[in-house]
Amino acid sequence: MKFIVKFFPEITIKSKPVRKQFVRHLTDNVRSLLRQIDAEVKVQRDWDKLVVESQQEEKLQRFVETLSHTPGIAYFNEVSHYPLGDLHDIFEKTKLLWGERLAGKTFAVRCKRAGTHAFSSGEIERYVGGGLNQHTEAKGVQLKNPDITVMLEVRDENLYITNCRYEGLGGFPMGSLDPVISLISGGFDSNVASYLMMKRGLRTHFLFFNLGGHAHEIGVKEVALYLWQKYGASHRVRFISVPFDGVVGEILKKVDNSQMGVILKRMMLRAATTIADDMGVQAVVTGECIAQVSSQTLTNLSVIDSVTNKLVLRPLITMDKPDIVKLSAEIGTEEFAASMPEYCGVISVKPTTKAKPEKIESQESRFDFAVLEQAIADTRLINIDEIDLDEQIAEVEVMPFPVGESIVIDVRHPTERELQPLKLGQNEVLEIPFYELHSQYEQLDQAQHYMLYCERGTMSRLHASHLKHEGYHNVSVYRPQ
């Protein structure tokens, strides 16, 4: 199979040196990602496209899934490639691929051509279009807004006929822009904000302020892993966890109720600034949106930002909540956010919407900043692709095969299961996605032994660890070698 991959338009209008740099990044990223599917895949760089070739036709859907979620790609076509013949030969090959699909549909033929030939692009379109109209059950040719557009490309002595066109993610190639740190809580807003950064091509590290203990951290790790695996896996990033329960406790003890929300955000931004400095990162990202909650008025955001010299990026700043939730559903994080374990933070009864710098500073003068410094000192950084090496996971038994009469629970996202269904011989398989597992596990037969499964083994280990932490010991992990 072969794909023609077209660049995001903003890449093509860059200066020649910048364009070459961006295309080189995209080529390396595509090659790195696709080699995880087919070690022999070929990725060829051209001035206006990439050409991807693989002999593993059975993995078409995995190729499509990967390319459609790789930043820097406008769209890509899955094509059939032939040596170029005469006009009638072009028609015959096109009819072979498209004849049956045109039945009852209006259509148009479009052709791009490069090189020296005895015929023009228009002549190809007219000859092939006329032939298809006469020799198929198509409803007829319709040049404006047809039901189907048949795409051909003639380049030198090669003919490419498009079988299917797929939309890409857009944005710039991952690694071509400076990195950022995204504050992520696992809710709708921070998940979508992180995605938008990755979509634009920014290498996005994940910074989590742990206010709710083990369960909350597990949930946020899940969504960070999901976002990275789906939209940014060409580049390693870090998951950073800061234990912030002590900071919350200090705020609850020392700060007036109405000022707590703004001061908590200032403490988070102070910590994020220190971590960004240590990592050499210039900007931090938040999921804040104008007036969505009391701390997000213009006045309060200005007071919050005053504690940092870093650029604070807020990609959701003018988005409505329903639009954020809709985008969350589109990118696959809605279930994560909806099922995120609850945690206790700072909740003001009558929060200020017009914080005054002098009053905030007066309140912060009561705060013991040694608590914040200790939280920063206790920060844990882990490469996101090594999360399964965390101490929580080390306690979980991992087996390369189902043990005895164990029941295997497939915890993958439904879209992942559709791409690669789990098929076992004798062991029963339950399909319980990760975001429902915790609520459903206690309803299962506790006399049985369960083995959790996901493709990479990461989500399954996290959840098995979580269940053991909750007191369930009849669980392990199935990870085929």
Side-chain angles (χ1 to χ4, degrees):
M1 61 184 167
K2 179 174 288 191
F3 298 93
I4 303 297
V5 179
K6 293 294 187 176
F7 309 139
F8 177 54
E10 288 185 43
I11 296 174
T12 65
I13 62 174
K14 300 294 184 185
S15 65
K16 187 174 182 179
V18 174
R19 176 173 176 164
K20 289 178 66 176
Q21 176 188 346
F22 277 37
V23 171
R24 184 174 65 251
H25 275 291
L26 181 59
T27 306
D28 292 343
N29 294 350
V30 168
R31 186 179 290 120
S32 172
L33 292 168
L34 295 184
R35 279 181 176 171
Q36 297 175 35
I37 303 172
D38 174 11
E40 304 300 322
V41 69
K42 296 179 181 178
V43 181
Q44 180 182 342
R45 182 173 69 224
D46 204 345
W47 177 245
D48 64 342
K49 66 180 179 298
L50 301 181
V51 180
V52 175
E53 294 185 74
S54 172
Q55 300 302 313
Q56 300 192 22
E57 301 280 348
E58 72 279 4
K59 295 181 177 179
L60 170 65
Q61 289 305 314
R62 294 187 65 190
F63 272 77
V64 170
E65 176 80 5
T66 299
L67 290 172
S68 64
H69 296 124
T70 299
I73 296 175
Y75 66 91
F76 57 99
N77 296 330
E78 192 262 312
V79 302
S80 293
H81 176 207
Y82 305 98
L84 181 64
D86 58 17
L87 286 174
H88 191 72
D89 184 67
I90 297 173
F91 157 69
E92 291 289 354
K93 289 183 170 60
T94 306
K95 179 175 177 289
L96 183 65
L97 288 174
W98 279 96
E100 292 184 3
R101 286 186 275 178
L102 295 179
K105 306 287 186 180
T106 61
F107 75 96
V109 177
R110 299 284 182 251
C111 179
K112 293 183 179 180
R113 187 180 62 86
T116 303
H117 305 97
F119 37 73
S120 66
S121 299
E123 289 173 326
I124 296 173
E125 292 172 354
R126 289 189 292 274
Y127 190 95
V128 174
L132 293 174
N133 195 35
Q134 293 180 47
H135 299 287
T136 70
E137 297 181 7
K139 188 175 180 180
V141 174
Q142 184 171 307
L143 299 182
K144 291 185 178 181
N145 301 316
D147 296 326
I148 295 175
T149 300
V150 178
M151 300 296 299
L152 311 177
E153 183 172 346
V154 172
R155 183 172 292 270
D156 298 322
E157 297 305 311
N158 300 285
L159 169 65
Y160 300 98
I161 304 176
T162 297
N163 290 323
C164 191
R165 169 175 165 143
Y166 302 93
E167 294 303 313
L169 198 61
F172 294 116
M174 193 68 70
S176 61
L177 304 175
D178 293 323
V180 297
I181 290 178
S182 183
L183 278 60
I184 185 167
S185 67
F188 291 101
D189 301 341
S190 62
N191 296 346
V192 172
S194 300
Y195 158 76
L196 290 173
M197 292 293 103
M198 300 169 76
K199 176 179 180 290
R200 189 63 176 171
L202 289 94
R203 184 180 174 191
T204 302
H205 302 281
F206 300 95
L207 175 56
F208 167 59
F209 290 98
N210 193 339
L211 311 180
H214 180 85
H216 189 206
E217 182 162 341
I218 289 290
V220 177
K221 280 182 175 177
E222 288 176 347
V223 72
L225 271 167
Y226 173 84
L227 287 168
W228 174 75
Q229 289 173 351
K230 192 160 189 177
Y231 303 106
S234 61
H235 285 69
R236 172 179 282 175
V237 299
R238 287 188 157 186
F239 183 89
I240 308 147
S241 179
V242 185
F244 235 52
D245 50 342
V247 174
V248 171
E250 184 71 5
I251 290 174
L252 289 170
K253 289 186 293 184
K254 304 286 184 64
V255 174
D256 285 349
N257 184 280
S258 63
Q259 314 297 314
M260 290 194 299
V262 171
I263 289 179
L264 176 62
K265 292 293 183 66
R266 281 163 62 96
M267 296 299 173
M268 288 180 172
L269 203 48
R270 286 184 173 106
T273 299
T274 300
I275 293 166
D277 283 339
D278 291 343
M279 294 179 62
V281 173
Q282 300 180 38
V284 297
V285 180
T286 79
E288 291 162 320
C289 173
I290 287 289
Q292 189 179 109
V293 296
S294 60
S295 65
Q296 296 173 15
T297 62
L298 287 178
T299 300
N300 287 356
L301 290 175
S302 177
V303 172
I304 291 167
D305 286 0
S306 67
V307 301
T308 184
N309 59 357
K310 296 293 180 185
L311 176 64
V312 181
L313 301 174
R314 295 183 171 95
L316 310 186
I317 196 66
T318 62
M319 290 183 67
D320 296 331
K321 189 69 173 188
D323 293 332
I324 296 171
V325 174
K326 180 181 178 182
L327 183 52
S328 177
E330 291 174 2
I331 65 176
T333 62
E334 182 182 26
E335 294 92 345
F336 291 93
S339 62
M340 190 61 56
E342 294 186 5
Y343 63 94
C344 295
V346 169
I347 302 175
S348 298
V349 178
K350 293 182 178 180
T352 181
T353 57
K354 292 187 178 295
K356 296 180 179 180
E358 61 275 10
K359 187 168 184 177
I360 292 294
E361 290 169 7
S362 174
Q363 290 290 310
E364 287 184 345
S365 68
R366 308 175 188 176
F367 186 91
D368 182 0
F369 277 85
V371 176
L372 177 63
E373 293 168 4
Q374 187 60 52
I376 296 172
D378 291 340
T379 294
R380 291 180 292 120
L381 293 86
I382 185 170
N383 292 328
I384 200 162
D385 57 337
E386 296 174 354
I387 279 182
D388 60 345
L389 302 180
D390 198 3
E391 70 277 4
Q392 302 163 339
I393 301 169
E395 304 169 358
V396 178
E397 184 180 28
V398 180
M399 299 295 292
F401 49 84
V403 178
E405 297 182 357
S406 296
I407 297 175
V408 176
I409 302 178
D410 188 342
V411 302
R412 292 175 298 168
H413 195 281
T415 56
E416 292 180 271
R417 292 203 305 262
E418 290 174 7
L419 286 173
Q420 285 191 293
L422 177 62
K423 298 179 180 179
L424 297 179
Q426 312 216 343
N427 294 79
E428 181 183 353
V429 177
L430 299 179
E431 295 181 347
I432 306 178
F434 53 83
Y435 50 86
E436 295 178 357
L437 182 63
H438 188 259
S439 61
Q440 291 191 24
Y441 197 85
E442 63 181 356
Q443 301 170 21
L444 301 177
D445 182 1
Q446 296 305 310
Q448 286 280 357
H449 184 81
Y450 298 93
M451 302 186 75
L452 309 190
Y453 168 81
C454 69
E455 184 175 355
R456 296 188 181 218
T458 303
M459 294 290 193
S460 54
R461 292 187 190 188
L462 283 171
H463 269 290
S465 174
H466 185 194
L467 289 169
K468 284 207 165 188
H469 184 81
E470 295 295 314
Y472 299 101
H473 298 288
N474 59 334
V475 61
S476 59
V477 170
Y478 165 50
R479 176 73 193 280
Q481 294 179 346

